[in-house]
Amino acid sequence: MAQPHGTGTPQRSVRDATLDVLRDHDLTTLFTNPGSTEVGFLAGLPEDLRLVLALHEGSVVGTATGWAIARDRPALVLLHTTAGLGNAVGALATARVNRAPLVVVVGQQDRRHLTLEPFLAGRLRDLAGDYPVRVEEPPTAQDVPGAVARCHHAAAHARGPAVVIVPMDDWAAPAEDSAVMAASRHVARADGVDGAAVDDLAALLTQADTPALVTGAGTDSEEGWAALTALAERLGAPVFQESFGARAGFPQDHPLFAGFLPADRPGLRATLAGHDTVLAVGAPVFRQYPYTEGALVEPGTRIGLLTDDPAEAYRSPVETAVLAPIPAALGALTSRVAPRQWSARYREAPEPLDRPAPGQPMWPAHVLEALAERAPADTIFVEETPSSRPEMHQRVPARRPLGFLSAAMGGLGFALPAAAGIRMARRDRPVIAVVGDGSSLYQVQALWSAARYGAGALFVVLSNGRYAVMDRLAEKHGAAPAWPDFPEVSVSGLSREMGCPARRVDTLDDLITVLDATVPTLRDRGEPLVLDVAVAVETEFQP
């Protein structure tokens, strides 16, 4: 390495300066599947940086997403030029819609011959489309540390992946201290709210005869749950969860919890018809699938929105949108509305299931009921079973913040790596992933990382040997599926080949036995376990 003239002290490199930035911003766990363009950064990685290897970039980003959500702070990702970033785009889209803060460093070919488009050079700036909240392509090597710091701030405050593209020769270039200061060392955002900002929403609720609340990921925190519960109880208003919600924004065992909004407009109108005012808090207005004609709500129903997401505020078809820190704004709003009497319970517990007849397979509902009966209240459930998701919502309520997590984007391949990342970050809480066998195959490589890094989650795979949700959708179109089943695929066998312990479970009695032995160990467990549970095909599906 070059030395300053007249001294025997090695000159600080861009890599050295960037490592200091990473330490300053608590980015010392690195999720990666590296390639040659990243070796200059990774060779001789200091001991205070921890490297977590995943076997596919979707698993890299998925694991980092779980880690970031569980810790509520940015996670660090390192990807390999075009192939790595390209493989990760779907997972980055999920991270953006899940509002997971990621700092994503992408390796690039040597800066000195990029104009010749050498082997492994990538056209990287726009490869992930609009999903990054920021993309930095530093004009000089010395700008790299500041770019990393700026991307940390963008990821933390815009709640999504921020990308830095770094040519491989930049790491060895000499650093300039002034370049490191091209970004703030610390960015603070005020948590207070001007009371006047919520006056319009307070008036909206005060004038309402039958208000209702809708919530989602934006209130999924200790502060968010407490603040929204206080407002709901003051109003006596039912609280609905957004459709396709990726996180639970309200305690789903609370008497004011009214269930999940339908994802079609006729169902949405019918569900909200008895309410003259609807306030969405930390949730879109309103997520739908598929498209159906008509208005979102009945004529005369007034809609307001409280959010901390500017894009959500700008696009929502509402009378009034307030952009503010949600817990503080909810506190100000609650103090401005008069208390009302209430005694209703809006949602009853589901009926217990009959046991399968001798020789008959389990339904997914049997598995979910068994999990709900045994899982502690603070269990983090990660879901990716599209055909069984309505049943899971019915039988496995989220009882603590971060109690439910799913992929807001809808793409498959999220649950296995996310559950591993969550468990690595939150050793104090049990983690259970409930995944369809088709979904599990999208990122089955994540089980290797879970085993390698002691992510002691329980992975419950509902195995029916097909893409059941696609079969049901085909039936709705009056057609037979054009795709084959895959009953010969053994998820438990694949798991064991990945070094992850697994068991095949074929009967309810066997399931209960293994759950009774395993669930009590989940809080302290260091070894993951896959349960490959044979289930019957669902006969009904509601999107």
Side-chain angles (χ1 to χ4, degrees), residues 219-415:
T219 57
D220 188 23
S221 65
E222 294 286 351
E223 299 80 8
W225 276 37
L228 186 61
T229 299
L231 176 63
E233 291 178 349
R234 192 167 182 88
L235 293 171
V239 181
F240 295 92
Q241 175 77 27
E242 62 169 320
S243 61
F244 297 109
R247 297 171 68 173
F250 185 79
Q252 294 174 357
D253 56 350
H254 192 284
L256 287 173
F257 181 63
F260 296 79
L261 288 182
D264 65 289
R265 295 188 183 199
L268 183 64
R269 290 193 297 271
T271 299
L272 298 177
H275 303 284
D276 59 357
T277 299
V278 179
L279 175 63
V281 183
V285 180
F286 295 104
R287 182 172 283 127
Q288 297 280 284
Y289 178 85
Y291 173 76
T292 48
E293 292 183 352
L296 293 170
V297 294
E298 295 290 347
T301 300
R302 305 173 71 185
I303 308 175
L305 172 67
L306 171 60
T307 181
D308 58 1
D309 181 348
E312 203 164 76
Y314 303 153
R315 70 172 178 261
S316 294
V318 300
E319 178 178 328
T320 299
V322 171
L323 185 60
I326 291 176
L330 281 171
L333 183 57
T334 301
S335 69
R336 284 166 167 73
V337 296
R340 307 186 189 198
Q341 296 295 319
W342 62 275
S343 59
R345 172 174 285 277
Y346 286 90
R347 193 167 183 252
E348 298 299 329
E351 292 292 328
L353 294 167
D354 294 331
R355 293 178 64 88
Q360 294 298 309
M362 288 177 280
W363 294 103
H366 289 114
V367 183
L368 296 167
E369 183 177 72
L371 287 170
E373 290 172 350
R374 290 160 177 79
D378 65 339
T379 299
I380 301 171
F381 279 94
V382 186
E383 176 271 335
E384 194 169 53
T385 174
S387 62
S388 301
R389 191 178 196 190
E391 193 73 55
M392 184 167 181
H393 285 329
Q394 286 291 321
R395 298 190 179 275
V396 190
R399 294 176 285 172
R400 297 288 187 276
L402 197 59
F404 175 84
L405 180 64
S406 186
M409 190 65 188
L412 300 180
F414 174 76

Side-chain angles (χ1 to χ4, degrees), residues 33-398:
N33 182 268
S36 57
T37 53
E38 294 73 59
V39 171
F41 177 77
L42 292 173
L45 197 68
E47 291 184 358
D48 63 328
L49 265 70
R50 180 193 186 198
L51 187 147
V52 176
L53 178 66
L55 304 185
H56 183 276
E57 289 82 2
S59 293
V60 170
V61 174
T63 307
T65 296
W67 171 275
I69 289 172
R71 298 177 79 235
D72 196 27
R73 64 186 68 176
L76 177 62
V77 172
L78 181 65
L79 299 176
H80 175 52
T81 191
T82 307
L85 181 57
N87 283 344
V89 168
L92 290 171
T94 295
R96 174 66 182 272
V97 184
N98 273 83
R99 305 183 71 193
L102 305 178
V103 177
V104 183
V105 178
V106 182
Q108 174 64 291
Q109 245 284 5
D110 193 301
R111 185 187 292 273
R112 293 167 293 186
H113 65 164
L114 272 178
T115 57
L116 301 177
E117 294 197 9
F119 180 68
L120 289 180
R123 299 178 184 180
L124 303 174
R125 170 172 282 278
D126 299 319
L127 186 55
D130 292 333
Y131 291 114
V133 297
R134 186 180 183 94
V135 177
E136 290 262 357
E137 203 164 9
T140 71
Q142 288 71 32
D143 290 315
V144 168
V148 171
R150 290 190 294 274
C151 281
H152 171 271
H153 301 326
H157 293 294
R159 310 298 295 178
V163 174
V164 189
I165 300 165
V166 184
M168 59 194 296
D169 58 312
D170 281 7
W171 299 118
E176 294 177 1
D177 289 341
S178 60
V180 178
M181 294 306 294
S184 301
R185 290 191 178 275
H186 176 65
V187 175
R189 176 173 289 186
D191 289 330
V193 175
D194 180 354
V198 298
D199 283 345
D200 288 345
L201 293 182
L204 196 69
L205 293 174
T206 298
Q207 295 163 15
D209 293 323
T210 54
L213 303 174
V214 174
T215 193
T219 57
D220 188 23
S221 65
E222 294 286 351
E223 299 80 8
W225 276 37
L228 186 61
T229 299
L231 176 63
E233 291 178 349
R234 192 167 182 88
L235 293 171
V239 181
F240 295 92
Q241 175 77 27
E242 62 169 320
S243 61
F244 297 109
R247 297 171 68 173
F250 185 79
Q252 294 174 357
D253 56 350
H254 192 284
L256 287 173
F257 181 63
F260 296 79
L261 288 182
D264 65 289
R265 295 188 183 199
L268 183 64
R269 290 193 297 271
T271 299
L272 298 177
H275 303 284
D276 59 357
T277 299
V278 179
L279 175 63
V281 183
V285 180
F286 295 104
R287 182 172 283 127
Q288 297 280 284
Y289 178 85
Y291 173 76
T292 48
E293 292 183 352
L296 293 170
V297 294
E298 295 290 347
T301 300
R302 305 173 71 185
I303 308 175
L305 172 67
L306 171 60
T307 181
D308 58 1
D309 181 348
E312 203 164 76
Y314 303 153
R315 70 172 178 261
S316 294
V318 300
E319 178 178 328
T320 299
V322 171
L323 185 60
I326 291 176
L330 281 171
L333 183 57
T334 301
S335 69
R336 284 166 167 73
V337 296
R340 307 186 189 198
Q341 296 295 319
W342 62 275
S343 59
R345 172 174 285 277
Y346 286 90
R347 193 167 183 252
E348 298 299 329
E351 292 292 328
L353 294 167
D354 294 331
R355 293 178 64 88
Q360 294 298 309
M362 288 177 280
W363 294 103
H366 289 114
V367 183
L368 296 167
E369 183 177 72
L371 287 170
E373 290 172 350
R374 290 160 177 79
D378 65 339
T379 299
I380 301 171
F381 279 94
V382 186
E383 176 271 335
E384 194 169 53
T385 174
S387 62
S388 301
R389 191 178 196 190
E391 193 73 55
M392 184 167 181
H393 285 329
Q394 286 291 321
R395 298 190 179 275
V396 190

